[in-house]
Amino acid sequence: QIWEDILGFENCEFYIKRWPQLVGMQFEDVLISFPDAVPCGIKMASYGGKIILNPDDCYVLQEGDEVIVIAEDDDTYTPSPLPKVKEAVYIDIVRHERNSQKILLCGMRRDIDDMIVVLDAFLAPGSELWMFNDVPEIDRERKLIEGGLDFSRLENITLVHRDGNAVIRRHLESLPLESFDSILILADESVEDSAIQADSRSLATLLLIRDIQAKRLPYKEAIGSDGFRRSLSEGSWMGEMQQASDKSVIISEILDPRTKNLLYMSKISDYVLSNELVSMALAMVAEDRQINYVLEELFAEQGNELQIRQSDLYLREDEELNFFEVMLRARQRKEVVIGYRLEDAERAIINPPDKVSRRRWSPKDVFVAIAEKE
C-alpha cells in the first residue's frame, strides 16, 4: 500500500528541487523545514549530481544542491521558518536479534534469481527458502545459474527444492504448509501471457493452501456475539480461512487490478500488484529520470530501503510528540520517518499534513521510515 501511494500520482511522490534559502543549513534542520513535505535525501552538486538518500545530519547544504522530498505535488511545498520542537531525548533500545525464517515460493518466474539474492540479504542466518513448482530441479538450477545466481554466495538462506503443481491439492499436501512463516505465490511464467489465467491460478493456489492449513490447525473456539462459545469450523468456511491467516502470511502476486478487490474483501491474503507497480515506476521515471536513482536504491538489496518501525523504537510510554519531533527522534538511528499508520487505521499516511500538533501515540502505532538494512 505504501509503494502504491508513493509510486502513484494520486498521493505523494518523490520530487527534486533546489532551494537557495536552505544553503548553509544542516540536513537535520532541512528535515523539519517543510510543513508540507518530507525531505529524505540530497542531490549533491559538488559530486556531479550524485543522489544521497538519508544523509548524515551534519551534512551542510552547498550551493547548487537539490533536496529530494516526498510531497503531494511539485508546487505544494516550500520551506518555512524552523518550528519549535522539544529536544530529542535519546532512547537506547536493545533490539532483539532477528530470527531465522522459513519461506515458501510457489511458482516460477524469470527473475526469481534476483528475488533469491534480495531475500538472502534481508533474512537472518539459518533461514530456509523452499521453492515449489513444476520445473524439474535440474532445469530449475540451470535457469537460476543462467540468470546469474551464484549458489556459493548465499550466506543467510538454504534452498530447498520440491517438485509439484501448485494447483493440485495432493501435491500441496506433501508440503509442511503449517510450518512456514510466510508464503509467496508468484504469477507463474507458464501463464504470464494471460493476466486473468495467471491470477486464477494464483487464487486457486491461495485457496488450496489456506484450506489445507485450516484443516491442520488445532481445534479453536471463538466467542460469538451472543456470548456462547463456538468453533470456527462450525461457522463459516471463511472463518477457518481467517484463522489460518493468523498463523502465517501469504502474499499473492497478481497481474490484473480487478483481482485485488477479491483479495481485499476476503482478508485471507495480502497482495502485490506487480504490473501496476512497474507501470507506475516507469511513469514516474519518465516524468523525472533522476527519480530512477532513488527507486534503484530503495528496491535494491543494499543501501536504504522502506522499513516499518514499531512506535516503541522512538517513543516512551505516555510521551506526547508531534510528527516533526518523531522525525528528529528517528535521526538518532539515522532514519527518516516519512509517515505512520495508526492502530485503528487500515492505511498508512505518508507525509502527514499536520506535523506540529502533539499527540499521544499508541504502542501499536507503526511508523514508515527510510533506513539502511540492519
Side-chain angles (χ1 to χ4, degrees):
Q1 177 252 307
I2 293 167
W3 273 119
E4 286 180 351
D5 284 354
I6 293 177
L7 294 178
F9 289 94
E10 295 181 358
N11 298 293
C12 293
E13 53 266 351
F14 291 106
Y15 293 100
I16 304 178
K17 190 182 293 187
R18 185 177 305 171
W19 299 98
Q21 61 267 50
L22 299 181
V23 172
M25 290 180 62
Q26 291 187 334
F27 181 74
E28 183 178 30
D29 292 331
V30 173
L31 195 67
I32 58 174
S33 294
F34 294 90
D36 302 305
V38 177
C40 53
I42 302 294
K43 180 182 177 184
M44 305 170 65
S46 58
Y47 287 87
K50 182 180 180 181
I51 286 178
I52 302 294
L53 289 179
N54 189 16
D56 292 332
D57 280 344
C58 60
Y59 179 81
V60 178
L61 250 67
Q62 305 296 316
E63 187 71 35
D65 282 356
E66 298 177 58
V67 181
I68 306 167
V69 305
I70 295 177
E72 186 174 351
D73 211 338
D74 60 354
D75 59 356
T76 60
Y77 69 101
T78 188
S80 296
L82 291 178
K84 293 182 179 180
V85 294
K86 291 181 180 179
E87 183 180 354
V89 180
Y90 180 75
I91 295 183
D92 186 14
I93 295 181
V94 178
R95 305 303 293 177
H96 298 292
E97 291 187 5
R98 294 179 302 156
N99 295 323
S100 59
Q101 295 189 48
K102 190 174 180 180
I103 296 178
L104 173 66
L105 291 182
C106 281
M108 189 73 176
R109 51 178 296 162
R110 288 169 299 184
D111 59 352
I112 199 168
D113 52 284
D114 294 326
M115 295 180 64
I116 293 173
V117 171
V118 173
L119 285 169
D120 183 61
F122 285 149
L123 295 175
S127 297
E128 291 184 359
L129 183 62
W130 289 50
M131 299 183 63
F132 177 73
N133 52 66
D134 53 10
V135 178
E137 184 176 340
I138 296 178
D139 296 336
R140 193 184 306 171
E141 291 187 347
R142 176 179 52 80
K143 285 187 174 184
L144 293 175
I145 294 173
E146 290 176 353
L149 180 65
D150 185 349
F151 290 94
S152 64
R153 300 187 66 178
L154 297 179
E155 298 179 352
N156 297 323
I157 61 175
T158 300
L159 293 182
V160 180
H161 294 279
R162 290 292 185 271
D163 294 346
N165 191 322
V167 295
I168 298 178
R169 185 183 184 97
R170 60 184 175 84
H171 289 184
L172 288 169
E173 287 179 332
S174 66
L175 299 172
L177 295 175
E178 69 280 5
S179 68
F180 292 105
D181 297 293
S182 58
I183 298 173
L184 280 69
I185 301 175
L186 307 177
D188 200 276
E189 63 182 9
S190 62
V191 289
E192 64 181 355
D193 292 337
S194 171
I196 294 178
Q197 188 176 355
D199 286 356
S200 298
R201 182 184 177 92
S202 295
L203 288 176
T205 301
L206 166 65
L207 295 175
L208 286 170
I209 290 176
R210 281 300 191 213
D211 189 55
I212 295 170
Q213 288 178 328
K215 297 295 188 291
R216 292 179 180 178
L217 285 175
Y219 178 83
K220 181 179 179 181
E221 290 184 326
I223 302 295
S225 58
D226 53 4
F228 290 99
R229 302 182 69 87
R230 54 172 58 86
S231 168
L232 283 174
S233 61
E234 294 172 353
S236 65
W237 169 71
M238 188 59 69
E240 292 183 351
M241 294 289 195
Q242 289 174 350
Q243 179 187 349
S245 68
D246 292 337
K247 293 294 184 180
S248 66
V249 176
I250 294 185
I251 308 294
S252 302
E253 180 191 10
I254 58 175
L255 306 181
D256 193 315
R258 294 170 293 184
T259 310
K260 73 178 182 181
N261 295 325
L262 296 173
L263 293 173
Y264 179 78
M265 293 298 293
S266 71
K267 299 187 183 300
I268 61 173
S269 171
D270 287 320
Y271 67 88
V272 172
L273 190 51
S274 56
N275 281 350
E276 190 172 82
L277 286 176
V278 171
S279 298
M280 290 190 294
L282 288 172
M284 182 175 287
V285 173
E287 184 180 4
D288 185 352
R289 64 180 183 179
Q290 303 174 99
I291 300 300
N292 188 46
Y293 298 103
V294 178
L295 299 181
E296 185 177 7
E297 177 169 346
L298 290 176
F299 278 115
E301 68 272 15
Q302 301 296 331
N304 288 279
E305 64 194 34
L306 288 185
Q307 296 269 6
I308 305 297
R309 300 300 199 199
Q310 301 298 321
S311 61
D312 64 358
L313 198 60
Y314 308 134
L315 305 166
R316 291 188 175 92
E317 189 175 354
D318 294 329
E319 191 174 23
E320 290 189 3
L321 296 178
N322 63 30
F323 188 74
F324 276 140
E325 291 162 345
V326 174
M327 293 174 71
L328 293 178
R329 188 69 61 80
R331 291 308 296 167
Q332 297 171 0
R333 296 173 48 86
K334 199 189 173 184
E335 299 177 354
V336 178
V337 171
I338 65 173
Y340 58 82
R341 192 192 73 196
L342 300 179
E343 175 186 2
D344 56 353
E346 290 191 0
R347 300 181 67 84
I349 299 175
I350 305 301
N351 181 31
D354 183 3
K355 299 180 176 65
V356 296
S357 297
R358 290 191 175 92
R359 57 169 296 150
R360 181 175 283 107
W361 303 87
S362 165
K364 294 185 179 179
D365 296 338
V366 296
F367 292 94
V368 185
I370 293 177
E372 292 188 351
K373 182 173 68 70
E374 293 184 332

